[in-house]
Structures are given as structure tokens and as C-alpha cells.
């Protein structure tokens, strides 16, 4: 019914050239993780400001981001 989801925690860990992003939420919408990871990549590359993340999450319909490619993204656990 509702498209509102709550991200409970987020973390970023880098080991060499690999970056692991961990997200916990009460649910995920289609492409939600890809859009979050895509925005984090834009911020890391200096093409977006950190403040843009909150705006994009609050208004995804008005501020669509560039989703990260699906390769390398894994669902590891469902409670």
C-alpha cells in the first residue's frame, strides 16, 4: 500500500579496491538499493554533494538519480 520505507542502518567499508555498502531497512522498493548506491558513487566521485542524498531520498519522484549497475549487488539476508 505505502511506498515509504525506513532505512534502519547504512554502512560503508573499503578493503583495497572493493567497497562494501550495507543497508538494513524495513523493506526495499524496486531499484531502491541501486539508486542509493548510485548516489553514493556520485558523491564519492565529487559529482554530487552529500546534502543531495537526503533530498533524493525525500523526493525520489522529483529528483531521480542514476542507479548503480546491478552487477556486484547482493541480497544477503532477510529477516
Amino acid at each position: 500500500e505505502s511506498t515509504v520505507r525506513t532505512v534502519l542502518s547504512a554502512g560503508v567499508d573499503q578493503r583495497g579496491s572493493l567497497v562494501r555498502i550495507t543497508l538494513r531497512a524495513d523493506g526495499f522498493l524496486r531499484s531502491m538499493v541501486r539508486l542509493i548506491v548510485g548516489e553514493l558513487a556520485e558523491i564519492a566521485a565529487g559529482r554530487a554533494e552529500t546534502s543531495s542524498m537526503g533530498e533524493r531520498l525525500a523526493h525520489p519522484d522529483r529528483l531521480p538519480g542514476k542507479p548503480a549497475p546491478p552487477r556486484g549487488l547482493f541480497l544477503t539476508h532477510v529477516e
Side-chain angles (χ1 to χ4, degrees):
E1 295 177 17
S2 172
T3 59
V4 174
R5 300 296 185 261
T6 301
V7 175
L8 303 169
S9 65
V12 179
D13 179 39
Q14 184 171 358
R15 294 182 184 179
S17 63
L18 295 178
V19 176
R20 179 174 58 183
I21 298 170
T22 306
L23 298 169
R24 281 187 64 231
D26 63 358
F28 292 98
L29 301 171
R30 183 180 179 152
S31 298
M32 179 177 163
V33 172
R34 290 181 60 202
L35 287 167
I36 292 171
V37 171
E39 184 65 15
L40 289 173
E42 291 294 301
I43 292 168
R47 292 187 293 264
E49 297 294 324
T50 56
S51 60
S52 68
M53 178 62 86
E55 283 295 312
R56 289 195 192 279
L57 290 175
H59 306 287
D61 54 328
R62 291 186 298 188
L63 300 168
K66 180 180 177 185
R71 68 179 178 275
L73 299 178
F74 300 94
L75 173 65
T76 60
H77 185 77
V78 175
E79 294 180 8

